[in-house]
Amino acid sequence: MTSATVPSAAGPRGLRRWVFPWTAGFQRSWLSADLVAGIALGVVMIPQGMAYAELAGVPAVAGLYATMAAIIGYAILGSSRQLVVGPDSSTSTLVAAALLSIVGAGAAPEQILAGAAFMAVVAGVLLLLGGVVKAGVIANFLSKPVLVGYLNALALTIIIKQLPKILGYKVEAENLIAATIELVRKLPQTVPLSLAVGVGCLVIIFIFKRWIPKIPGALVAVVLATIISAVFNFQAMGLKVVGVVPSGLPSLSFPRIDLADLGLYLFPAFAIALMGFADTAVASELFADRNKYEVDADRD
């Protein structure tokens, strides 16, 4: 049962229509597996969120906060039982490209952070409006072949974009074909230590998925890589690390942006909102189809 079919009467069952709609039909036997999955996901999402923040051109800690807020928000209001939301390569790349054209390459870090925050606010407002006017119907036009093809294309894009980090060098090209050519051309610049860490993590993930599936391999890989890096001081050996992350929670404030520049943010914010909705719709529909339940695209 989903939010679309839960009765709207007063009481806990009616409340699920608006808050925690995915809990309808939840079984207590799932709780232990969900706790393990949540811990594993949290450990993996921490470095992933910070990495995507740097990809967007903002401090790594901003990705950590964005990841927490997105996951908690969707857990309360979202309709999918498996979907995980947060910073990703597609939206991070769009943010970086938009900020480059709006604030410029030589902008101060405060300007870049304020611009990214304002773009997120505008994109969020657009998504809220989309939910109010029932724009989720767009998801109905995404056929299963389109969904699968989109996911495969997205996976290919992420592989090409992330491989340079494993190899230890940067690829400047944005176009996928150009990025692939540059990736191959720069292969002689591969940093052996970076490659060893990346391949080692992939091997660990594969081994656990193949032979020890009950233990999340990604969690083991992240923990081991972090411990080994600290023990052997990989940073002193030339491997780039995140470094010190500010502790505590950030103070909330509205980004200081000249409202006259609102027009500059509208188009990239709309593109980010559309990309985020497409990612959500594609993944949630596939999960729902696989696990035999329904999702509400307008709510998502």
Side-chain angles (χ1 to χ4, degrees):
M1 187 178 293
T2 66
S3 58
T5 58
V6 173
S8 58
R13 293 179 64 83
L15 184 63
R16 286 175 180 164
R17 182 180 180 183
W18 307 106
V19 181
F20 299 109
W22 51 266
T23 59
F26 185 85
Q27 301 177 22
R28 290 185 179 181
S29 60
W30 300 346
L31 187 58
S32 60
D34 282 356
L35 286 174
V36 174
I39 294 172
L41 177 66
V43 173
V44 172
M45 288 291 286
I46 289 173
Q48 178 177 302
M50 292 191 293
Y52 286 142
E54 292 189 331
L55 180 62
V58 299
V61 70
L64 182 59
Y65 299 139
T67 299
M68 290 190 297
I71 290 179
I72 293 173
Y74 191 84
I76 295 173
L77 302 173
S79 63
S80 174
R81 297 173 184 171
Q82 283 85 25
L83 187 67
V84 177
V85 298
D88 59 33
S89 60
S90 56
T91 52
S92 296
T93 302
L94 286 174
V95 170
L99 290 176
L100 184 64
S101 62
I102 295 174
V103 302
E110 295 78 13
Q111 287 181 287
I112 297 175
L113 192 57
F118 187 69
M119 200 177 307
V121 170
V122 176
V125 170
L126 292 173
L127 286 170
L128 286 173
L129 292 175
V132 170
V133 301
K134 306 297 183 183
V137 69
I138 297 174
N140 296 331
F141 297 98
L142 300 174
S143 64
K144 193 168 184 178
V146 171
L147 300 184
V148 175
Y150 175 83
L151 281 181
N152 288 334
L154 186 61
L156 181 61
T157 301
I158 293 174
I159 289 173
I160 297 300
K161 293 291 185 179
Q162 299 303 312
L163 263 179
K165 294 182 179 180
I166 294 179
L167 299 175
Y169 55 80
K170 288 186 177 181
V171 168
E172 304 295 340
E174 296 294 336
N175 179 273
L176 185 61
I177 296 178
T180 304
I181 295 174
E182 185 177 351
L183 173 68
V184 175
R185 182 171 54 84
K186 289 185 174 180
L187 279 176
Q189 301 179 22
T190 299
V191 179
L193 179 58
S194 178
L195 178 61
V197 172
V199 172
C201 289
L202 292 175
V203 170
I204 291 173
I205 293 172
F206 173 78
I207 290 175
F208 275 81
K209 184 176 181 180
R210 178 68 177 83
W211 288 289
I212 320 175
K214 291 187 177 181
I215 300 178
L219 172 60
V220 176
V222 169
V223 172
L224 281 180
T226 303
I227 294 174
I228 295 173
S229 175
V231 171
F232 292 95
N233 196 5
F234 282 172
Q235 185 175 13
M237 299 169 65
L239 191 67
K240 186 178 180 181
V241 299
V242 173
V244 178
V245 176
S247 60
L249 295 175
S251 57
L252 298 179
S253 61
F254 194 82
R256 297 180 181 179
I257 295 292
D258 189 347
L259 292 181
D261 294 334
L262 177 61
L264 299 176
Y265 288 89
L266 275 178
F267 181 75
F270 176 78
I272 290 168
L274 185 61
M275 179 70 71
F277 168 73
D279 287 349
T280 300
V282 168
S284 62
E285 286 288 347
L286 286 176
F287 282 131
D289 182 64
R290 183 183 306 165
N291 295 280
K292 309 304 178 184
Y293 65 90
E294 295 180 0
V295 289
D296 186 344
D298 292 323
R299 177 181 294 277
D300 291 341

